[in-house]
């Protein structure tokens, strides 16, 4: 069991709120990590396995992610211990929103993460009677349709292209392996194909599909639409592998875009890619990052690579009370500009400091957060 007080360090968390509701069985947690640069903003996830420690780690990632792309919101995250496929999902979600009515939206604005959909964001707004309570609502309610637009996956591919070029590894013709073909992975694959990369492996919870000569991404997207995660076992192309083996296939670029903690020390020794791009949050351990660095494999951190979602969320935050929808082409252009520039800055800083991109990138983000904390008198000037 996590001792919440043991999670506190020089950066946060500022507040941990654990809530429950007897009738629905709802249990959940909100972690507001650091609001020196603005109100807490981060996704809300629903899973039977949510823990306080997990949500706190993700809230910290959000602190660095907002600071890394130089947008003025604070790190926060929420989690609900429940099965997102349960028929009681809406009742649990409404109970969770009510329990946090003191914090939402004054201190924290809910968003989407694993297990929640655009309609769930609309339910939160409805329950609290406030359009500002959540972002990620359906487009017909004025929201930015993150998953439909594929903003996070698009940003992952844009950041990958910039980092690969910096390393002298043009993405055109490079072989890319993707772990995960959900909201992030499938959009990244589509953009990789547009940029001329060859996608040699993809995976879902049902297994992995590998074709050294390249998979037809459009055919994969159609198969996913028809069969869901099981498309990897039904597709006529490629060889089916057990889930997890896509991480160690022969490729130039590896993109873990599914779950956290998937690249262990042991896996890091077997990765064949020249560049690892963290499409998911926290997919590599610090020890694995060191091993990859020692092997000459660059790793583009999650708070840089998958920040397309937070850039889009910033537009959604601005539009919460507006009668106008955000301009979609502007969102995509801003994601491309910010993530490409940030990827190069972090890679250059890592080279200059002689350290890993994680440490270099976090150092830049920490500097911005520390400056904000000093200006507000939260730490000594």
């Amino acid at each position: 069991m996590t001792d919440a007080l043991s999670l506190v360090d020089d950066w946060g968390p500022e507040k941990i709120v654990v809530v429950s509701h007897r009738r629905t069985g709802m249990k959940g947690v909100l972690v507001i990590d650091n609001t020196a640069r603005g109100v807490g903003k981060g996704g809300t996830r629903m899973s039977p396995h949510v823990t306080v420690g997990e949500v706190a780690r993700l809230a910290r990632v959000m602190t660095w992610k907002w600071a890394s792309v130089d947008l003025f919101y604070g790190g926060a995250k929420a989690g609900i211990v429940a099965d997102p496929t349960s028929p009681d999902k809406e009742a649990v979600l409404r109970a969770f929103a009510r329990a946090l009515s003191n914090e939402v939206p004054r201190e924290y604005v809910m968003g989407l993460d694993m297990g929640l959909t655009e309609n769930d964001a609309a339910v939160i707004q409805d329950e609290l009677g406030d359009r500002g309570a959540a972002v990620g609502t359906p487009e017909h309610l004025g929201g930015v349709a993150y998953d439909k637009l594929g903003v996070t996956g698009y940003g992952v591919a844009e950041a990958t292209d910039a980092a690969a070029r910096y390393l002298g590894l043009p993405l055109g013709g490079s072989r890319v392996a993707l772990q995960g073909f959900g909201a992030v992975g499938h959009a990244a694959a589509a953009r990789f194909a547009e940029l001329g990369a060859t996608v040699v492996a993809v995976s879902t919870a049902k297994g992995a599909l590998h074709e050294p000569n390249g998979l037809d991404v459009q055919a994969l997207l159609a198969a996913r639409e028809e069969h869901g995660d099981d498309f990897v076992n039904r597709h006529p192309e490629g060889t089916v592998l057990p889930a997890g083996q896509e991480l160690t296939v022969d490729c130039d670029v590896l993109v873990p875009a599914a779950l956290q903690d998937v690249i262990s020390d042991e896996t890091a020794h077997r990765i064949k890619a020249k560049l690892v791009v963290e499409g998911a949050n926290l997919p590599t351990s610090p020890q694995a990052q060191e091993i990859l660095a020692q092997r000459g494999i660059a790793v583009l951190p999650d708070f840089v690579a998958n920040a397309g979602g937070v850039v889009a969320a910033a537009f959604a935050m601005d539009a919460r009370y507006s009668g106008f929808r955000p301009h979609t082409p502007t969102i995509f252009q801003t994601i491309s500009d910010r993530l490409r520039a940030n990827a190069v800055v972090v890679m250059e800083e890592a080279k200059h400091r002689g350290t890993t991109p994680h440490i270099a990138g976090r150092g830049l983000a920490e500097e911005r957060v520390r400056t904000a904390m000093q200006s507000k008198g939260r730490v000594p000037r």
Side-chain angles (χ1 to χ4, degrees), residues 240-270:
V240 178
L241 303 174
Q245 286 194 17
E246 71 282 357
L247 295 170
T248 56
V249 301
D250 193 14
C251 63
D252 301 302
V253 179
L254 172 64
V255 183
L259 301 172
Q260 62 197 51
D261 300 321
V262 294
I263 298 181
S264 63
D265 300 10
E266 189 272 335
T267 306
H269 283 292
R270 296 190 293 117

Side-chain angles (χ1 to χ4, degrees), residues 252-380:
D252 301 302
V253 179
L254 172 64
V255 183
L259 301 172
Q260 62 197 51
D261 300 321
V262 294
I263 298 181
S264 63
D265 300 10
E266 189 272 335
T267 306
H269 283 292
R270 296 190 293 117
I271 285 174
K272 300 179 179 67
K274 302 178 180 70
L275 170 65
V276 175
V277 177
E278 295 186 324
N281 288 325
L282 305 169
T284 61
S285 68
Q287 294 79 14
Q289 292 160 21
E290 287 294 337
I291 292 168
L292 291 168
Q294 290 165 9
R295 296 184 59 214
I297 299 171
V299 181
L300 191 66
D302 49 3
F303 53 84
V304 176
N306 67 22
V310 303
V311 174
F315 281 95
M317 289 288 284
D318 275 355
R320 282 183 299 156
Y321 296 110
S322 173
F324 298 93
R325 290 186 178 89
H327 188 231
T328 300
T330 302
I331 294 175
F332 277 102
Q333 188 60 55
T334 305
I335 290 171
S336 179
D337 292 345
R338 293 227 175 195
L339 268 62
R340 283 179 174 275
N342 215 22
V344 173
V345 166
V346 168
M347 300 297 279
E348 286 182 338
E349 187 71 6
K351 182 178 180 181
H352 174 70
R353 295 189 183 189
T355 187
T356 67
H358 273 86
I359 293 173
R362 196 175 69 205
L364 292 170
E366 286 177 355
E367 188 176 317
R368 288 171 177 165
V369 174
R370 185 183 297 108
T371 300
M373 293 172 74
Q374 290 171 338
S375 293
K376 292 183 174 180
R378 297 186 180 186
V379 294

Side-chain angles (χ1 to χ4, degrees), residues 37-127:
R37 288 171 57 89
V39 65
K41 174 71 193 77
T44 300
R45 63 175 44 189
M46 182 181 286
S47 163
H49 310 296
V50 164
T51 67
V52 173
E54 170 195 8
V55 176
R57 287 176 71 199
L58 294 167
R60 178 59 54 83
V61 171
M62 290 306 301
T63 295
W64 305 141
K65 198 176 291 188
W66 286 118
S68 178
V69 291
D70 202 18
L71 293 170
F72 293 95
Y73 296 106
K77 204 80 174 181
I80 306 168
V81 185
D83 181 354
T85 66
S86 167
D88 300 323
K89 180 182 184 181
E90 182 176 331
V92 169
L93 189 62
R94 287 183 181 274
F96 183 69
R98 287 195 304 274
L100 291 176
S101 59
N102 288 334
E103 288 77 24
V104 179
R106 189 171 64 88
E107 298 177 66
Y108 170 65
V109 176
M110 293 193 183
L112 302 181
D113 201 317
M114 183 175 65
L116 293 192
T117 68
E118 293 175 358
N119 286 337
D120 294 325
V123 165
I124 292 167
Q125 289 185 351
D126 182 66
E127 183 61 35

